[in-house]
Amino acid sequence: DQQSASQGSTRPAVESVWLGEAIDTQEQGGAHPLEDPIEELAGRIAGGECLAWVRDRMELSRESLGSRVLLADPCRPDSRRKLLGAVQQSEPWLPARMVVTAARAAGYVDVPPLVGPGFHQARATPALQACAPEAMQPEGRVWVRIIDPAQDPALTRLLETVERATGHPLLFMETFRLRGSPRVRNEFDATEAFARSGLDALVAGERLYTRDG
């Protein structure tokens, strides 16, 4: 049975989505090992950086649901323009998709029926409209994915860690691809795309890549 995310309920994980290519196990040049990638990501996001995160297997879906993504704090002014501009997607009409934990979703959106693991349109609450105006679509709606801890414990933990740093369990989350290019598939693709982008850093598995090497 599908239960309301506003009640903090969970659904069975949709394991068949995450069957694509895994990231490489061999690091590329300039990598820094990380003890805790989640803490590294959260700290950089809270500091205003726009990041790429590549992990585990790629999803067999049109857009990434969390394994090949770009991340930024939606409550920071101009973060949408900065994030999309970093991968050469600067059109003002492009939507900015968001993720929120299931336990806190009702405070930010009118929770839609959970019909699948992807993004849905939902009406933003006044709290979200005030916090992240750049995410708003016509009629006060947003593209949102509600993250169930049973489906993605790592992304849930990231959102919870970000909330401790920023006060909001929210992230802009877009598929990691450069304009005119396919989604990155593995760590090599990710480092190549990162080098051509305006992103601040890349976390691939348990490795960090930065502009200063």
Side-chain angles (χ1 to χ4, degrees):
D1 292 340
Q2 293 182 347
Q3 298 177 323
S4 170
S6 65
Q7 297 174 331
S9 60
T10 61
R11 294 181 299 150
V14 185
E15 296 178 354
S16 60
V17 176
W18 288 271
L19 293 175
E21 184 173 344
I23 67 169
D24 299 334
T25 57
Q26 182 176 0
E27 70 181 55
Q28 306 300 308
H32 304 277
L34 294 173
E35 290 187 5
D36 191 337
I38 298 294
E39 290 287 348
E40 183 73 25
L41 285 162
R44 288 177 173 272
I45 290 166
E49 293 190 15
C50 294
L51 310 174
W53 187 22
V54 176
R55 60 188 172 109
D56 303 328
R57 289 190 173 275
M58 190 171 73
E59 309 93 335
L60 300 179
S61 57
R62 184 171 180 270
E63 299 291 340
S64 179
L65 302 179
S67 72
R68 307 289 187 274
V69 291
L70 309 172
L71 302 170
D73 178 1
C75 298
R76 279 185 171 263
D78 213 28
S79 59
R80 176 201 164 280
R81 183 197 62 80
K82 183 181 176 185
L83 181 66
L84 295 180
V87 289
Q88 302 134 30
Q89 300 183 46
S90 57
E91 291 83 352
W93 47 264
L94 286 174
R97 299 174 179 87
M98 302 183 64
V99 288
V100 61
T101 55
R104 300 275 276 115
Y108 296 95
V109 294
D110 290 340
V111 179
L114 299 181
V115 296
F119 288 88
H120 309 276
Q121 275 205 329
R123 189 173 301 279
T125 65
L128 181 56
Q129 293 182 37
C131 169
E134 292 183 346
M136 295 303 111
Q137 298 292 296
E139 300 180 355
R141 303 183 75 82
V142 293
W143 282 101
V144 65
R145 181 173 176 236
I146 297 170
I147 305 304
D148 188 321
Q151 292 184 3
D152 197 334
L155 183 51
T156 298
R157 183 180 164 227
L158 175 60
L159 286 163
E160 292 171 345
T161 307
V162 166
E163 181 178 20
R164 289 195 292 272
T166 67
H168 301 284
L170 302 167
L171 287 171
F172 276 144
M173 192 176 85
E174 294 291 336
T175 299
F176 186 11
R177 62 164 69 92
L178 297 180
R179 185 185 185 94
S181 300
R183 182 193 331 182
V184 302
R185 298 170 60 87
N186 50 44
E187 192 163 347
F188 176 79
D189 284 356
T191 56
E192 289 287 299
F194 172 63
R196 295 165 51 202
S197 76
L199 295 164
D200 296 301
L202 160 68
V203 172
E206 296 182 348
R207 291 182 282 274
L208 171 70
Y209 299 85
T210 60
R211 291 287 162 201
D212 53 6

